[in-house]
Amino acid sequence: MRKTTGAIGLGAALAVSAVLGIGTSGAAHAAPAKPQSLYPPSALVLTVGWGADAASTEVQRAVTLSCRPTPTGTHPAPTQACAELRSVGGMFGQLRTGAEAGRVCTKEWHPITVTAEGIWDGRRVSYEHTFANNCFKSAAPTLVFEF
């Protein structure tokens, strides 16, 4: 009888400690979700490749660009690229992609396509633009796709 009472008491004590979370259970308690930053997420992948559109283009070069809280990434000029994107509110279509005045380019058709995919200030971004050739791409007065 004494062994039975002891076993019941031990079982009850273990059950109570399990319910109350006392003891070593081996299970980790999840911490409440906290924002990682005061800024909305901003992370972009920029690509350049030969071809008439992104679907048929083989990527030649790709870089990363993040502008919050500080400009970082593998882009060669992240500070300037982020400043340009901020000036147009992250709207890639508003970047100046035409050739600068006085710049002369041949009219050969050797298309080069640039893309931007990712998040800008918490909003999804998907952009693609095709230049007639590399001269027109280099003549555009934007540093965002100069890599």
Side-chain angles (χ1 to χ4, degrees):
M1 178 91 169
R2 212 177 246 185
K3 288 184 181 181
T4 306
T5 307
I8 292 173
L10 178 62
L14 289 174
V16 168
S17 68
V19 169
L20 295 176
I22 301 170
T24 58
S25 64
H29 296 286
K34 293 180 185 176
Q36 297 295 322
S37 172
L38 296 175
Y39 304 101
S42 169
L44 300 165
V45 175
L46 309 172
T47 67
V48 173
W50 297 104
D53 59 29
S56 63
T57 298
E58 184 175 319
V59 174
Q60 302 296 313
R61 294 182 303 279
V63 297
T64 59
L65 180 65
S66 180
C67 296
R68 296 272 177 119
T70 58
T72 60
T74 59
H75 193 285
T79 303
Q80 294 88 342
C82 288
E84 284 183 21
L85 285 172
R86 274 191 219 101
S87 73
V88 295
M91 305 296 289
F92 282 84
Q94 293 181 4
L95 289 171
R96 292 183 39 211
T97 56
E100 292 178 304
R103 180 74 184 251
V104 178
C105 289
T106 63
K107 294 194 182 213
E108 78 177 298
W109 179 249
H110 188 72
I112 187 166
T113 300
V114 296
T115 66
E117 296 284 336
I119 306 294
W120 176 263
D121 281 342
R123 137 181 86 77
R124 184 104 173 86
V125 174
S126 182
Y127 172 79
E128 144 181 4
H129 181 79
T130 301
F131 295 93
N133 57 49
N134 196 43
C135 179
F136 281 100
K137 179 188 144 329
S138 297
T142 179
L143 289 174
V144 174
F145 293 104
E146 286 300 313
F147 51 87

PDB file of all heavy atoms in Angstrom, residues 47-83:
ATOM      1  N   THR A  47      19.771  42.645 -61.590  1.00  0.00           N
ATOM      2  CA  THR A  47      20.472  41.815 -62.566  1.00  0.00           C
ATOM      3  C   THR A  47      20.617  42.539 -63.898  1.00  0.00           C
ATOM      4  O   THR A  47      19.852  43.447 -64.213  1.00  0.00           O
ATOM      5  CB  THR A  47      19.742  40.480 -62.823  1.00  0.00           C
ATOM      6  OG1 THR A  47      18.496  40.743 -63.483  1.00  0.00           O
ATOM      7  CG2 THR A  47      19.515  39.704 -61.548  1.00  0.00           C
ATOM      8  N   VAL A  48      21.604  42.088 -64.688  1.00  0.00           N
ATOM      9  CA  VAL A  48      21.836  42.570 -66.046  1.00  0.00           C
ATOM     10  C   VAL A  48      22.116  41.346 -66.902  1.00  0.00           C
ATOM     11  O   VAL A  48      22.869  40.458 -66.495  1.00  0.00           O
ATOM     12  CB  VAL A  48      23.058  43.524 -66.106  1.00  0.00           C
ATOM     13  CG1 VAL A  48      23.389  43.890 -67.540  1.00  0.00           C
ATOM     14  CG2 VAL A  48      22.814  44.761 -65.295  1.00  0.00           C
ATOM     15  N   GLY A  49      21.501  41.294 -68.078  1.00  0.00           N
ATOM     16  CA  GLY A  49      21.749  40.163 -68.976  1.00  0.00           C
ATOM     17  C   GLY A  49      21.413  40.503 -70.412  1.00  0.00           C
ATOM     18  O   GLY A  49      20.592  41.373 -70.690  1.00  0.00           O
ATOM     19  N   TRP A  50      22.053  39.801 -71.344  1.00  0.00           N
ATOM     20  CA  TRP A  50      21.800  40.010 -72.767  1.00  0.00           C
ATOM     21  C   TRP A  50      20.515  39.299 -73.155  1.00  0.00           C
ATOM     22  O   TRP A  50      20.362  38.118 -72.901  1.00  0.00           O
ATOM     23  CB  TRP A  50      22.959  39.496 -73.605  1.00  0.00           C
ATOM     24  CG  TRP A  50      24.244  40.221 -73.346  1.00  0.00           C
ATOM     25  CD1 TRP A  50      25.303  39.760 -72.628  1.00  0.00           C
ATOM     26  CD2 TRP A  50      24.585  41.529 -73.772  1.00  0.00           C
ATOM     27  NE1 TRP A  50      26.290  40.715 -72.584  1.00  0.00           N
ATOM     28  CE2 TRP A  50      25.872  41.814 -73.292  1.00  0.00           C
ATOM     29  CE3 TRP A  50      23.922  42.506 -74.526  1.00  0.00           C
ATOM     30  CZ2 TRP A  50      26.522  43.011 -73.524  1.00  0.00           C
ATOM     31  CZ3 TRP A  50      24.567  43.705 -74.762  1.00  0.00           C
ATOM     32  CH2 TRP A  50      25.848  43.946 -74.265  1.00  0.00           C
ATOM     33  N   GLY A  51      19.611  40.030 -73.787  1.00  0.00           N
ATOM     34  CA  GLY A  51      18.356  39.448 -74.256  1.00  0.00           C
ATOM     35  C   GLY A  51      17.257  40.487 -74.276  1.00  0.00           C
ATOM     36  O   GLY A  51      17.383  41.572 -73.698  1.00  0.00           O
ATOM     37  N   ALA A  52      16.175  40.161 -74.971  1.00  0.00           N
ATOM     38  CA  ALA A  52      15.082  41.110 -75.189  1.00  0.00           C
ATOM     39  C   ALA A  52      14.100  41.196 -74.027  1.00  0.00           C
ATOM     40  O   ALA A  52      13.329  42.145 -73.946  1.00  0.00           O
ATOM     41  CB  ALA A  52      14.343  40.768 -76.471  1.00  0.00           C
ATOM     42  N   ASP A  53      14.098  40.206 -73.143  1.00  0.00           N
ATOM     43  CA  ASP A  53      13.218  40.262 -71.967  1.00  0.00           C
ATOM     44  C   ASP A  53      13.784  39.377 -70.865  1.00  0.00           C
ATOM     45  O   ASP A  53      14.642  38.543 -71.112  1.00  0.00           O
ATOM     46  CB  ASP A  53      11.776  39.870 -72.305  1.00  0.00           C
ATOM     47  CG  ASP A  53      11.657  38.474 -72.870  1.00  0.00           C
ATOM     48  OD1 ASP A  53      12.477  37.598 -72.534  1.00  0.00           O
ATOM     49  OD2 ASP A  53      10.726  38.244 -73.663  1.00  0.00           O
ATOM     50  N   ALA A  54      13.279  39.570 -69.678  1.00  0.00           N
ATOM     51  CA  ALA A  54      13.822  38.855 -68.516  1.00  0.00           C
ATOM     52  C   ALA A  54      13.605  37.347 -68.614  1.00  0.00           C
ATOM     53  O   ALA A  54      14.423  36.570 -68.133  1.00  0.00           O
ATOM     54  CB  ALA A  54      13.211  39.394 -67.235  1.00  0.00           C
ATOM     55  N   ALA A  55      12.520  36.934 -69.240  1.00  0.00           N
ATOM     56  CA  ALA A  55      12.212  35.502 -69.326  1.00  0.00           C
ATOM     57  C   ALA A  55      13.225  34.745 -70.186  1.00  0.00           C
ATOM     58  O   ALA A  55      13.531  33.585 -69.912  1.00  0.00           O
ATOM     59  CB  ALA A  55      10.811  35.301 -69.876  1.00  0.00           C
ATOM     60  N   SER A  56      13.761  35.394 -71.219  1.00  0.00           N
ATOM     61  CA  SER A  56      14.687  34.703 -72.117  1.00  0.00           C
ATOM     62  C   SER A  56      16.137  35.135 -71.909  1.00  0.00           C
ATOM     63  O   SER A  56      17.019  34.695 -72.629  1.00  0.00           O
ATOM     64  CB  SER A  56      14.281  34.965 -73.570  1.00  0.00           C
ATOM     65  OG  SER A  56      14.385  36.348 -73.861  1.00  0.00           O
ATOM     66  N   THR A  57      16.380  35.978 -70.943  1.00  0.00           N
ATOM     67  CA  THR A  57      17.724  36.507 -70.699  1.00  0.00           C
ATOM     68  C   THR A  57      18.490  35.625 -69.731  1.00  0.00           C
ATOM     69  O   THR A  57      17.969  35.211 -68.709  1.00  0.00           O
ATOM     70  CB  THR A  57      17.629  37.933 -70.111  1.00  0.00           C
ATOM     71  OG1 THR A  57      16.989  38.754 -71.066  1.00  0.00           O
ATOM     72  CG2 THR A  57      18.984  38.490 -69.781  1.00  0.00           C
ATOM     73  N   GLU A  58      19.738  35.355 -70.091  1.00  0.00           N
ATOM     74  CA  GLU A  58      20.632  34.661 -69.161  1.00  0.00           C
ATOM     75  C   GLU A  58      21.367  35.735 -68.368  1.00  0.00           C
ATOM     76  O   GLU A  58      22.020  36.608 -68.947  1.00  0.00           O
ATOM     77  CB  GLU A  58      21.625  33.791 -69.928  1.00  0.00           C
ATOM     78  CG  GLU A  58      22.505  32.975 -69.013  1.00  0.00           C
ATOM     79  CD  GLU A  58      23.401  32.024 -69.796  1.00  0.00           C
ATOM     80  OE1 GLU A  58      22.922  31.421 -70.756  1.00  0.00           O
ATOM     81  OE2 GLU A  58      24.574  31.933 -69.416  1.00  0.00           O
ATOM     82  N   VAL A  59      21.235  35.701 -67.063  1.00  0.00           N
ATOM     83  CA  VAL A  59      21.823  36.734 -66.204  1.00  0.00           C
ATOM     84  C   VAL A  59      23.346  36.698 -66.328  1.00  0.00           C
ATOM     85  O   VAL A  59      23.974  35.660 -66.167  1.00  0.00           O
ATOM     86  CB  VAL A  59      21.384  36.533 -64.733  1.00  0.00           C
ATOM     87  CG1 VAL A  59      22.105  37.505 -63.820  1.00  0.00           C
ATOM     88  CG2 VAL A  59      19.882  36.681 -64.605  1.00  0.00           C
ATOM     89  N   GLN A  60      23.927  37.874 -66.622  1.00  0.00           N
ATOM     90  CA  GLN A  60      25.377  38.019 -66.729  1.00  0.00           C
ATOM     91  C   GLN A  60      25.998  38.493 -65.418  1.00  0.00           C
ATOM     92  O   GLN A  60      27.066  38.051 -65.036  1.00  0.00           O
ATOM     93  CB  GLN A  60      25.727  39.020 -67.840  1.00  0.00           C
ATOM     94  CG  GLN A  60      25.190  38.631 -69.195  1.00  0.00           C
ATOM     95  CD  GLN A  60      25.788  37.343 -69.708  1.00  0.00           C
ATOM     96  OE1 GLN A  60      27.002  37.151 -69.668  1.00  0.00           O
ATOM     97  NE2 GLN A  60      24.946  36.437 -70.162  1.00  0.00           N
ATOM     98  N   ARG A  61      25.301  39.432 -64.768  1.00  0.00           N
ATOM     99  CA  ARG A  61      25.770  39.982 -63.488  1.00  0.00           C
ATOM    100  C   ARG A  61      24.573  40.190 -62.573  1.00  0.00           C
ATOM    101  O   ARG A  61      23.483  40.521 -63.031  1.00  0.00           O
ATOM    102  CB  ARG A  61      26.488  41.321 -63.711  1.00  0.00           C
ATOM    103  CG  ARG A  61      27.780  41.208 -64.481  1.00  0.00           C
ATOM    104  CD  ARG A  61      28.494  42.548 -64.636  1.00  0.00           C
ATOM    105  NE  ARG A  61      27.718  43.608 -65.266  1.00  0.00           N
ATOM    106  CZ  ARG A  61      27.544  43.760 -66.576  1.00  0.00           C
ATOM    107  NH1 ARG A  61      28.056  42.877 -67.404  1.00  0.00           N
ATOM    108  NH2 ARG A  61      26.863  44.783 -67.054  1.00  0.00           N
ATOM    109  N   ALA A  62      24.803  40.054 -61.281  1.00  0.00           N
ATOM    110  CA  ALA A  62      23.752  40.294 -60.284  1.00  0.00           C
ATOM    111  C   ALA A  62      24.400  40.875 -59.029  1.00  0.00           C
ATOM    112  O   ALA A  62      25.528  40.504 -58.681  1.00  0.00           O
ATOM    113  CB  ALA A  62      23.015  39.003 -59.943  1.00  0.00           C
ATOM    114  N   VAL A  63      23.684  41.801 -58.399  1.00  0.00           N
ATOM    115  CA  VAL A  63      24.154  42.397 -57.148  1.00  0.00           C
ATOM    116  C   VAL A  63      22.984  42.506 -56.189  1.00  0.00           C
ATOM    117  O   VAL A  63      21.820  42.444 -56.593  1.00  0.00           O
ATOM    118  CB  VAL A  63      24.786  43.798 -57.351  1.00  0.00           C
ATOM    119  CG1 VAL A  63      26.023  43.728 -58.206  1.00  0.00           C
ATOM    120  CG2 VAL A  63      23.778  44.780 -57.918  1.00  0.00           C
ATOM    121  N   THR A  64      23.300  42.690 -54.917  1.00  0.00           N
ATOM    122  CA  THR A  64      22.272  42.938 -53.909  1.00  0.00           C
ATOM    123  C   THR A  64      22.362  44.395 -53.472  1.00  0.00           C
ATOM    124  O   THR A  64      23.430  45.003 -53.540  1.00  0.00           O
ATOM    125  CB  THR A  64      22.454  42.020 -52.687  1.00  0.00           C
ATOM    126  OG1 THR A  64      23.751  42.252 -52.128  1.00  0.00           O
ATOM    127  CG2 THR A  64      22.304  40.560 -53.073  1.00  0.00           C
ATOM    128  N   LEU A  65      21.220  44.927 -53.042  1.00  0.00           N
ATOM    129  CA  LEU A  65      21.180  46.305 -52.567  1.00  0.00           C
ATOM    130  C   LEU A  65      20.147  46.400 -51.461  1.00  0.00           C
ATOM    131  O   LEU A  65      19.004  45.996 -51.637  1.00  0.00           O
ATOM    132  CB  LEU A  65      20.810  47.255 -53.711  1.00  0.00           C
ATOM    133  CG  LEU A  65      20.716  48.742 -53.367  1.00  0.00           C
ATOM    134  CD1 LEU A  65      22.081  49.287 -52.954  1.00  0.00           C
ATOM    135  CD2 LEU A  65      20.168  49.527 -54.545  1.00  0.00           C
ATOM    136  N   SER A  66      20.561  46.910 -50.324  1.00  0.00           N
ATOM    137  CA  SER A  66      19.665  47.160 -49.203  1.00  0.00           C
ATOM    138  C   SER A  66      19.921  48.598 -48.753  1.00  0.00           C
ATOM    139  O   SER A  66      21.066  49.005 -48.609  1.00  0.00           O
ATOM    140  CB  SER A  66      19.941  46.186 -48.058  1.00  0.00           C
ATOM    141  OG  SER A  66      19.078  46.451 -46.988  1.00  0.00           O
ATOM    142  N   CYS A  67      18.850  49.358 -48.573  1.00  0.00           N
ATOM    143  CA  CYS A  67      19.009  50.787 -48.274  1.00  0.00           C
ATOM    144  C   CYS A  67      18.652  51.183 -46.853  1.00  0.00           C
ATOM    145  O   CYS A  67      18.804  52.342 -46.483  1.00  0.00           O
ATOM    146  CB  CYS A  67      18.167  51.600 -49.256  1.00  0.00           C
ATOM    147  SG  CYS A  67      18.731  51.402 -50.961  1.00  0.00           S
ATOM    148  N   ARG A  68      18.145  50.267 -46.056  1.00  0.00           N
ATOM    149  CA  ARG A  68      17.759  50.606 -44.692  1.00  0.00           C
ATOM    150  C   ARG A  68      18.429  49.678 -43.711  1.00  0.00           C
ATOM    151  O   ARG A  68      18.450  48.481 -43.960  1.00  0.00           O
ATOM    152  CB  ARG A  68      16.241  50.502 -44.517  1.00  0.00           C
ATOM    153  CG  ARG A  68      15.458  51.477 -45.339  1.00  0.00           C
ATOM    154  CD  ARG A  68      15.281  52.762 -44.577  1.00  0.00           C
ATOM    155  NE  ARG A  68      14.588  53.749 -45.364  1.00  0.00           N
ATOM    156  CZ  ARG A  68      13.436  54.282 -45.045  1.00  0.00           C
ATOM    157  NH1 ARG A  68      12.831  53.928 -43.950  1.00  0.00           N
ATOM    158  NH2 ARG A  68      12.896  55.194 -45.793  1.00  0.00           N
ATOM    159  N   PRO A  69      18.929  50.103 -42.594  1.00  0.00           N
ATOM    160  CA  PRO A  69      19.073  51.470 -42.130  1.00  0.00           C
ATOM    161  C   PRO A  69      20.221  52.210 -42.810  1.00  0.00           C
ATOM    162  O   PRO A  69      20.214  53.424 -42.881  1.00  0.00           O
ATOM    163  CB  PRO A  69      19.317  51.327 -40.638  1.00  0.00           C
ATOM    164  CG  PRO A  69      19.922  49.980 -40.467  1.00  0.00           C
ATOM    165  CD  PRO A  69      19.348  49.140 -41.577  1.00  0.00           C
ATOM    166  N   THR A  70      21.207  51.475 -43.326  1.00  0.00           N
ATOM    167  CA  THR A  70      22.285  52.114 -44.081  1.00  0.00           C
ATOM    168  C   THR A  70      22.452  51.392 -45.405  1.00  0.00           C
ATOM    169  O   THR A  70      22.164  50.190 -45.497  1.00  0.00           O
ATOM    170  CB  THR A  70      23.626  52.071 -43.312  1.00  0.00           C
ATOM    171  OG1 THR A  70      23.941  50.702 -43.044  1.00  0.00           O
ATOM    172  CG2 THR A  70      23.567  52.846 -42.014  1.00  0.00           C
ATOM    173  N   PRO A  71      22.907  52.083 -46.447  1.00  0.00           N
ATOM    174  CA  PRO A  71      23.105  51.431 -47.747  1.00  0.00           C
ATOM    175  C   PRO A  71      24.184  50.356 -47.665  1.00  0.00           C
ATOM    176  O   PRO A  71      25.303  50.631 -47.236  1.00  0.00           O
ATOM    177  CB  PRO A  71      23.537  52.572 -48.664  1.00  0.00           C
ATOM    178  CG  PRO A  71      23.055  53.819 -47.989  1.00  0.00           C
ATOM    179  CD  PRO A  71      23.126  53.526 -46.523  1.00  0.00           C
ATOM    180  N   THR A  72      23.819  49.143 -48.060  1.00  0.00           N
ATOM    181  CA  THR A  72      24.761  48.024 -48.050  1.00  0.00           C
ATOM    182  C   THR A  72      24.464  47.118 -49.238  1.00  0.00           C
ATOM    183  O   THR A  72      23.501  47.312 -49.958  1.00  0.00           O
ATOM    184  CB  THR A  72      24.648  47.179 -46.761  1.00  0.00           C
ATOM    185  OG1 THR A  72      23.324  46.665 -46.676  1.00  0.00           O
ATOM    186  CG2 THR A  72      24.972  47.992 -45.528  1.00  0.00           C
ATOM    187  N   GLY A  73      25.268  46.106 -49.383  1.00  0.00           N
ATOM    188  CA  GLY A  73      25.067  45.118 -50.431  1.00  0.00           C
ATOM    189  C   GLY A  73      26.310  44.991 -51.284  1.00  0.00           C
ATOM    190  O   GLY A  73      27.336  45.621 -51.031  1.00  0.00           O
ATOM    191  N   THR A  74      26.197  44.189 -52.342  1.00  0.00           N
ATOM    192  CA  THR A  74      27.325  43.982 -53.241  1.00  0.00           C
ATOM    193  C   THR A  74      27.349  44.990 -54.384  1.00  0.00           C
ATOM    194  O   THR A  74      28.237  44.941 -55.219  1.00  0.00           O
ATOM    195  CB  THR A  74      27.308  42.544 -53.804  1.00  0.00           C
ATOM    196  OG1 THR A  74      26.072  42.345 -54.508  1.00  0.00           O
ATOM    197  CG2 THR A  74      27.457  41.515 -52.700  1.00  0.00           C
ATOM    198  N   HIS A  75      26.377  45.890 -54.439  1.00  0.00           N
ATOM    199  CA  HIS A  75      26.354  46.952 -55.449  1.00  0.00           C
ATOM    200  C   HIS A  75      27.610  47.806 -55.261  1.00  0.00           C
ATOM    201  O   HIS A  75      27.973  48.140 -54.124  1.00  0.00           O
ATOM    202  CB  HIS A  75      25.087  47.798 -55.285  1.00  0.00           C
ATOM    203  CG  HIS A  75      24.817  48.693 -56.440  1.00  0.00           C
ATOM    204  ND1 HIS A  75      25.539  49.847 -56.672  1.00  0.00           N
ATOM    205  CD2 HIS A  75      23.895  48.614 -57.435  1.00  0.00           C
ATOM    206  CE1 HIS A  75      25.079  50.440 -57.757  1.00  0.00           C
ATOM    207  NE2 HIS A  75      24.077  49.708 -58.244  1.00  0.00           N
ATOM    208  N   PRO A  76      28.293  48.210 -56.353  1.00  0.00           N
ATOM    209  CA  PRO A  76      29.528  48.985 -56.199  1.00  0.00           C
ATOM    210  C   PRO A  76      29.331  50.392 -55.637  1.00  0.00           C
ATOM    211  O   PRO A  76      30.263  50.967 -55.095  1.00  0.00           O
ATOM    212  CB  PRO A  76      30.105  49.036 -57.618  1.00  0.00           C
ATOM    213  CG  PRO A  76      28.977  48.702 -58.515  1.00  0.00           C
ATOM    214  CD  PRO A  76      28.028  47.846 -57.737  1.00  0.00           C
ATOM    215  N   ALA A  77      28.128  50.959 -55.766  1.00  0.00           N
ATOM    216  CA  ALA A  77      27.866  52.303 -55.236  1.00  0.00           C
ATOM    217  C   ALA A  77      26.517  52.310 -54.519  1.00  0.00           C
ATOM    218  O   ALA A  77      25.559  52.946 -54.968  1.00  0.00           O
ATOM    219  CB  ALA A  77      27.888  53.323 -56.367  1.00  0.00           C
ATOM    220  N   PRO A  78      26.410  51.606 -53.373  1.00  0.00           N
ATOM    221  CA  PRO A  78      25.102  51.487 -52.716  1.00  0.00           C
ATOM    222  C   PRO A  78      24.530  52.812 -52.225  1.00  0.00           C
ATOM    223  O   PRO A  78      23.322  53.030 -52.296  1.00  0.00           O
ATOM    224  CB  PRO A  78      25.360  50.518 -51.569  1.00  0.00           C
ATOM    225  CG  PRO A  78      26.818  50.589 -51.307  1.00  0.00           C
ATOM    226  CD  PRO A  78      27.450  50.909 -52.630  1.00  0.00           C
ATOM    227  N   THR A  79      25.368  53.720 -51.761  1.00  0.00           N
ATOM    228  CA  THR A  79      24.881  55.003 -51.245  1.00  0.00           C
ATOM    229  C   THR A  79      24.214  55.816 -52.354  1.00  0.00           C
ATOM    230  O   THR A  79      23.104  56.328 -52.186  1.00  0.00           O
ATOM    231  CB  THR A  79      26.037  55.806 -50.610  1.00  0.00           C
ATOM    232  OG1 THR A  79      26.619  54.999 -49.578  1.00  0.00           O
ATOM    233  CG2 THR A  79      25.548  57.105 -50.026  1.00  0.00           C
ATOM    234  N   GLN A  80      24.869  55.916 -53.514  1.00  0.00           N
ATOM    235  CA  GLN A  80      24.316  56.673 -54.630  1.00  0.00           C
ATOM    236  C   GLN A  80      23.077  55.989 -55.202  1.00  0.00           C
ATOM    237  O   GLN A  80      22.089  56.654 -55.533  1.00  0.00           O
ATOM    238  CB  GLN A  80      25.363  56.866 -55.738  1.00  0.00           C
ATOM    239  CG  GLN A  80      26.532  57.726 -55.324  1.00  0.00           C
ATOM    240  CD  GLN A  80      27.654  56.926 -54.664  1.00  0.00           C
ATOM    241  OE1 GLN A  80      27.461  55.802 -54.204  1.00  0.00           O
ATOM    242  NE2 GLN A  80      28.835  57.522 -54.594  1.00  0.00           N
ATOM    243  N   ALA A  81      23.105  54.659 -55.329  1.00  0.00           N
ATOM    244  CA  ALA A  81      21.955  53.925 -55.868  1.00  0.00           C
ATOM    245  C   ALA A  81      20.743  54.091 -54.946  1.00  0.00           C
ATOM    246  O   ALA A  81      19.622  54.310 -55.419  1.00  0.00           O
ATOM    247  CB  ALA A  81      22.306  52.454 -56.045  1.00  0.00           C
ATOM    248  N   CYS A  82      20.955  54.015 -53.643  1.00  0.00           N
ATOM    249  CA  CYS A  82      19.850  54.191 -52.690  1.00  0.00           C
ATOM    250  C   CYS A  82      19.300  55.613 -52.750  1.00  0.00           C
ATOM    251  O   CYS A  82      18.090  55.824 -52.673  1.00  0.00           O
ATOM    252  CB  CYS A  82      20.301  53.845 -51.278  1.00  0.00           C
ATOM    253  SG  CYS A  82      20.554  52.081 -51.013  1.00  0.00           S
ATOM    254  N   ALA A  83      20.186  56.599 -52.905  1.00  0.00           N
ATOM    255  CA  ALA A  83      19.740  57.993 -53.005  1.00  0.00           C
ATOM    256  C   ALA A  83      18.866  58.186 -54.246  1.00  0.00           C
ATOM    257  O   ALA A  83      17.839  58.867 -54.190  1.00  0.00           O
ATOM    258  CB  ALA A  83      20.941  58.927 -53.045  1.00  0.00           C
TER     259      ALA A  83
END
